[in-house]
Amino acid sequence: MLDESIQELESRSLARIASAKSPEELEAVRVDALGRKSGLTQFSREMGKLAPEERSRIGKLLNSAKQKLEEALEVKKQQFAEAALRARLDAEWVDLTLPAPGPRRGHLHPITRIQRELEELFVSLGFTVLDGPEVETEYYNFDALNIPAEHPARDMQDTFWLDGGNLLRTHTSPVQVHGMERLGPPLRMIAPGRAFRNESVDASHEHTFYQLEGMMVDREVSVAHLLYFMKTLLTAIFKREVTVRLRPGYFPFVEPGFELDIQCLICGGPGCAVCKQSGWVELLPCGLVNPNVLRMSGIDPEEWGGFAFGLGLTRLVMMRYGIDDIRHLQGGDLRFLEQF
Ligand code: FA5
């Protein structure tokens, strides 16, 4: 009776071991066959009831069954371990002869790139690149540009005022004044940099954006000079024909003043969020320097004349790359920046 039960348990367990599909299944067989509560352990408890010669025979049978099961379990366990190792080696295979991937390189921000292109262009035309403070006094941002206190033009640019009466410059035009004061005529300068306005943000307006100021002061400067430089600038950046329109524009520091608009390159003309459905984008206000401005910076307007322009650099970058929302540019999202 007991012999048969032992043999039956042995062959059943061997079959289960052979067909086990996972280490967990194997462990379940081990517990059933050799564990404290089941299988062979049960039988060895019953041995006490047997006659001595029977006891030794059944004892040998039990030992041999136990040994065979332990061996079979061990062999199967090894097979699982080897299979796991093989799978890992396959998955984590590394070709040490492959060249290492290069280091991840950063690159220039599109605004910086266009700014540098423009700096190179203007330097080649005899202009000096100037830098100016972002925190300005009222005098440089407004008064010296012919915009005295109470002048309605102050409301054209919503200002971030700072404690103590200073402000974040609303445009790069104050650098014209620093340039005239420091260098005097004749003068050819550009000043790229940030401007700040306390206005609501949309697809084409940021509170912080880039402008590039330009100024030329010399004898006999005319609108023809101004237009020549504006055309040279746009051709250099777009490297193709772009449609522009010139219309009168009012800025207290130029007379006459113009707005140079570019046909929207995002929609091509029919209208979109960037051009506010108008088909045109304000890009390059400009004009001949108002004699008052020259005078205030110590330059005699009887002897000298000049032109000035205030390029919307951020908008130019949008047009050049077809960026349909200004907020992408300073949003800090690398997925956007990696496209350039
Ligand atoms: C000025 O800031 C004048 N200082 C420009 C100027 C200089 C005129 C010299 C004449 C002579 P305006 O406020 O229009 O002008 O701004 C100039 C350009 O900056 C705009 O055409 C536009 O392209 C850009 N700009 C203005 N406000 C924003 C804004 N909130 N976000 C992005 N770009 C802006």
Side-chain angles (χ1 to χ4, degrees):
M1 267 297 281
L2 208 48
D3 327 27
E4 278 168 25
S5 300
I6 293 169
Q7 267 156 12
E8 200 262 332
L9 178 73
E10 181 190 309
S11 53
R12 185 158 40 89
S13 300
L14 284 173
R16 280 179 70 197
I17 291 169
S19 65
K21 298 269 181 304
S22 67
E24 292 73 26
E25 233 180 275
L26 197 61
E27 176 61 9
V29 183
R30 190 191 65 77
V31 171
D32 287 348
L34 303 173
R36 272 197 299 136
K37 284 193 186 148
S38 53
L40 295 182
T41 319
Q42 296 284 29
F43 297 140
S44 43
R45 283 201 194 108
E46 287 174 29
M47 274 186 12
K49 298 174 202 153
L50 301 174
E53 64 282 6
E54 269 293 273
R55 204 183 297 161
S56 97
R57 195 176 62 79
I58 294 293
K60 280 190 191 131
L61 260 182
L62 274 174
N63 274 343
S64 129
K66 193 173 168 216
Q67 208 179 336
K68 276 193 205 152
L69 288 177
E70 279 173 348
E71 275 168 15
L73 282 166
E74 188 52 35
V75 168
K76 192 74 178 178
K77 202 170 140 194
Q78 286 300 331
Q79 285 173 5
F80 280 134
E82 273 165 31
L85 180 65
R86 230 176 295 120
R88 214 177 129 200
L89 286 175
D90 280 349
E92 296 175 11
W93 184 83
V94 175
D95 183 352
L96 294 176
T97 65
L98 277 180
R104 277 190 75 188
R105 286 253 181 110
H107 60 76
L108 292 178
H109 191 281
I111 295 182
T112 313
R113 195 180 295 171
I114 302 273
Q115 179 181 323
R116 293 207 180 160
E117 279 181 30
L118 286 169
E119 285 175 2
E120 252 173 58
L121 169 73
F122 277 98
V123 165
S124 78
L125 295 169
F127 284 66
T128 305
V129 182
L130 293 186
D131 205 1
E134 292 181 338
V135 172
E136 268 297 0
T137 62
E138 234 179 305
Y139 176 77
Y140 282 102
N141 197 78
F142 292 125
D143 300 79
L145 291 164
N146 204 28
I147 319 174
E150 317 305 334
H151 192 292
R154 284 214 180 183
D155 299 335
M156 286 162 70
Q157 303 176 352
D158 293 317
T159 308
F160 285 113
W161 291 95
L162 303 175
D163 291 344
N166 286 343
L167 49 87
L168 293 181
R169 68 178 179 196
T170 55
H171 49 179
T172 44
S173 299
V175 192
Q176 290 181 21
V177 182
H178 292 294
M180 286 187 287
E181 286 183 356
R182 240 188 309 148
L183 304 172
L187 172 68
R188 291 183 189 198
M189 53 146 282
I190 57 162
R194 291 196 295 179
F196 309 86
R197 289 193 197 170
N198 190 1
E199 57 186 38
S200 32
V201 166
D202 61 28
S204 55
H205 291 83
E206 263 285 19
H207 48 73
T208 304
F209 57 96
Y210 284 78
Q211 288 188 338
L212 185 136
E213 196 76 12
M215 180 181 235
M216 174 167 166
V217 178
D218 212 322
R219 298 185 167 90
E220 314 284 333
V221 173
S222 70
V223 172
H225 293 110
L226 170 63
L227 293 181
Y228 167 78
F229 282 102
M230 300 303 90
K231 214 174 150 220
T232 307
L233 184 165
L234 293 174
T235 316
I237 290 301
F238 291 105
K239 297 182 177 74
R240 63 179 162 122
E241 271 306 294
V242 287
T243 311
V244 296
R245 71 175 183 190
L246 195 67
R247 58 194 168 93
Y250 172 69
F251 302 92
F253 34 98
V254 286
E255 180 58 42
F258 305 102
E259 287 279 6
L260 195 153
D261 305 331
I262 180 170
Q263 190 168 59
C264 182
L265 297 178
I266 305 294
C267 63
C272 66
V274 173
C275 60
K276 298 232 165 51
Q277 313 306 331
S278 73
W280 297 93
V281 176
E282 286 183 8
L283 193 64
L284 232 178
C286 52
L288 295 186
V289 183
N290 188 306
N292 285 339
V293 172
L294 294 173
R295 206 174 290 119
M296 275 186 275
S297 291
I299 296 176
D300 180 3
E302 300 296 327
E303 191 182 349
W304 304 96
F307 70 71
F309 62 90
L311 169 71
L313 184 57
T314 309
R315 293 221 187 129
L316 179 79
V317 172
M318 292 172 73
M319 292 299 117
R320 159 90 173 253
Y321 291 114
I323 297 166
D324 63 1
D325 195 313
I326 196 169
R327 288 163 287 201
H328 289 315
L329 281 161
Q330 302 286 302
D333 188 337
L334 289 181
R335 290 169 304 178
F336 167 76
L337 292 173
E338 277 165 358
Q339 301 173 77
F340 297 95

